[in-house]
Amino acid sequence: MARVTGPVFFLCGQRWSVNALTAVVVFLAVFSNEFLIYMIQSFRWPNLPVGSRDSSKTQVMLLVADPQLQGIQDEIGFPVGMISRWDIDRYLSQTFSLAHAYAKPDVVVFLGDLMDEGSKATKEEYRSYYYRFLSVFGAAEKDKKVYIAGDNDIGGEFRDMRKEWKMDRFEKHFDLLTGVDKVGFIDYIKMDIQTHNTPFIEKRDLAEDLQRKISSPIRVLVSHETILPKAKVELYPMLRRLKPQLIFSAHWHKSIVFVCEDCMVDDENTWPVHRRDLAWMTDYMSVNLTINPKALTEVMVPTCSYRMGERDMGYGVAVIESNGEMKYTVLWLPRRYTMLFAYLIILVPLVLVHLYFKLFPYIMRKVHTRRR
């Protein structure tokens, strides 16, 4: 029998050296945290409520909110910043690939804040962020995509002012800020307008321009900022012309639904909006988009990035039938900070054990020498 040198442990009747046991523990931790936990989480997602994939009758959309690809300017320097960017890119890429394989979407909707530093990046930085973005969400390379700009992409929040060159840069790399994207029987109305500082005439003109482009039976308004929580007087002049049946938004990083049974009534004061938290949801909720022409539902999609500090992250999935039936759920993701903390819990005891077996013989030799 081969001789094992150094300290040993007996586990399941077998003799293990410290180095061998450490290697096994590290392998199991990495395999669990970097591969197994993602698969287990995806098995917990509810079954996709789709029979035949007839695109003329059913459309599946995958919704991505606030990925906020991490930049360079606000990150800690080398090597921490580089490792941090690599880890969040890998997390987003791995989780998106699983969500994409689950949904097999007809369209992928990116609801803004695609980059954390898109508004203030230099030309070279923006170019590198753009290609990183394409790589992270490479699973959707051949899909129809709808892009919305957020405040982190073109400015508009606090002192980060919107500039013409920021908006031009976004449109050059992604898509127009406003417009109507037609996918099958659905019109995706992209509305980029800051209502608190936009003149009424400009709002009206924008709405009328979009109205002329609408022709599909189902109308979905997509916006980075929330709509229904705002004052009705700010938005109703546009909503009355666009007549959306459903709104998807982001920005708050949370999973919420806003329901208003009488929003599309011709007055600018009544706005009976009811808010419901969706952080609990584990199955699909159902909404009929055509049964009540006065009603309006806004679904806020949570962030998919653990760097936003939210406890619950996920991707939205919506299934819309041509008859107006809509089903929606959130594909919840593993909590990356918990996984990273688990590494710390494992690493500290291993380091202490190695230090003990490295230092203890040295100390004992010193003690023995002094006694002699």
Side-chain angles (χ1 to χ4, degrees):
M1 181 179 292
R3 182 183 177 187
V4 178
T5 60
V8 297
F9 295 92
F10 286 91
L11 186 64
C12 298
Q14 299 293 321
R15 190 166 56 172
W16 295 77
S17 70
V18 174
N19 290 339
L21 188 60
T22 298
V24 170
V25 171
V26 170
F27 171 79
L28 291 176
V30 172
F31 177 75
S32 299
N33 274 352
E34 305 304 328
F35 301 98
L36 185 60
I37 196 169
Y38 293 96
M39 298 304 299
I40 292 175
Q41 186 69 17
S42 68
F43 292 150
R44 298 174 64 186
W45 295 340
N47 293 328
L48 189 70
V50 175
S52 64
R53 294 301 295 261
D54 185 349
S55 59
S56 66
K57 297 179 180 179
T58 304
Q59 190 170 129
V60 179
M61 64 184 76
L62 181 59
L63 299 129
V64 183
D66 297 274
Q68 295 203 22
L69 224 64
Q70 297 301 301
I72 297 173
Q73 297 180 25
D74 296 337
E75 286 289 330
I76 302 174
F78 181 86
V80 176
M82 182 184 70
I83 295 173
S84 177
R85 287 188 294 274
W86 171 81
D87 191 69
I88 185 58
D89 284 6
R90 183 179 179 278
Y91 177 87
L92 289 170
S93 178
Q94 193 161 350
T95 55
F96 180 77
S97 294
L98 286 171
H100 188 273
Y102 163 90
K104 298 180 178 61
D106 298 293
V107 59
V108 180
V109 181
F110 292 92
L111 290 166
D113 278 2
L114 311 184
M115 307 173 184
D116 185 50
E117 299 176 6
S119 175
K120 60 182 181 180
T122 65
K123 182 178 180 179
E124 292 74 19
E125 289 170 348
Y126 195 95
R127 182 178 176 84
S128 70
Y129 299 162
Y130 172 71
Y131 285 112
R132 275 176 55 204
F133 181 90
L134 296 182
S135 175
V136 166
F137 297 103
E141 180 182 5
K142 297 181 180 180
D143 295 333
K144 172 65 179 176
K145 292 178 278 291
V146 176
Y147 290 107
I148 301 298
D151 50 278
N152 285 55
D153 299 312
I154 58 174
E157 191 171 53
F158 304 118
R159 295 184 179 180
D160 184 14
M161 303 298 294
R162 287 194 177 192
K163 303 290 185 182
E164 195 70 29
W165 63 269
K166 296 179 183 180
M167 294 184 281
D168 289 343
R169 182 164 70 175
F170 182 90
E171 292 187 333
K172 177 182 177 182
H173 287 83
F174 293 101
D175 201 357
L176 297 177
L177 298 180
T178 60
V180 177
D181 287 0
K182 297 180 181 295
V183 182
F185 55 86
I186 299 178
D187 278 344
Y188 291 89
I189 307 168
K190 301 192 298 182
M191 185 177 69
D192 172 61
I193 188 166
Q194 290 188 310
T195 56
H196 60 271
N197 60 6
T198 304
F200 173 80
I201 295 178
E202 188 175 335
K203 297 180 192 178
R204 184 194 63 193
D205 291 346
L206 172 61
E208 289 178 350
D209 179 62
L210 293 174
Q211 184 182 20
R212 286 190 288 269
K213 300 175 182 177
I214 296 172
S215 59
S216 301
I218 304 295
R219 300 171 299 280
V220 177
L221 178 64
V222 285
S223 169
H224 177 68
E225 292 195 16
T226 55
I227 300 296
L228 294 185
K230 293 181 170 60
K232 184 174 183 178
V233 67
E234 295 181 350
L235 293 155
Y236 187 68
M238 290 199 303
L239 296 179
R240 182 177 59 187
R241 290 171 171 81
L242 301 176
K243 291 182 173 57
Q245 296 145 315
L246 177 66
I247 300 172
F248 283 113
S249 63
H251 191 53
W252 288 7
H253 304 164
K254 299 182 182 298
S255 183
I256 301 171
V257 62
F258 300 95
V259 179
C260 185
E261 296 295 336
D262 296 304
C263 273
M264 303 306 290
V265 176
D266 283 331
D267 72 75
E268 296 184 352
N269 298 312
T270 305
W271 198 252
V273 177
H274 302 281
R275 167 177 170 170
R276 185 157 55 98
D277 187 3
L278 295 181
W280 54 268
M281 75 184 313
T282 57
D283 207 341
Y284 282 82
M285 71 174 193
S286 298
V287 178
N288 190 305
L289 304 178
T290 58
I291 195 170
N292 181 5
K294 297 179 181 179
L296 190 54
T297 300
E298 177 177 349
V299 177
M300 181 184 292
V301 181
T303 179
C304 57
S305 172
Y306 73 83
R307 292 296 301 276
M308 297 302 100
E310 290 294 329
R311 182 172 178 269
D312 300 306
M313 300 99 37
Y315 297 99
V317 173
V319 179
I320 299 182
E321 307 287 346
S322 57
N323 62 6
E325 288 290 335
M326 190 274 287
K327 293 181 173 62
Y328 172 82
T329 195
V330 177
L331 306 180
W332 299 111
L333 305 179
R335 293 168 181 168
R336 184 60 176 167
Y337 281 125
T338 301
M339 296 153 66
L340 295 175
F341 185 67
Y343 279 131
L344 186 62
I345 293 176
I346 294 169
L347 181 62
V348 170
L350 287 178
V351 170
L352 291 177
V353 168
H354 275 269
L355 285 176
Y356 172 79
F357 284 112
K358 292 290 184 183
L359 295 178
F360 184 72
Y362 174 77
I363 294 172
M364 293 304 296
R365 285 197 300 271
K366 286 289 186 180
V367 172
H368 184 69
T369 302
R370 289 180 180 178
R371 287 179 178 177
R372 292 178 61 187

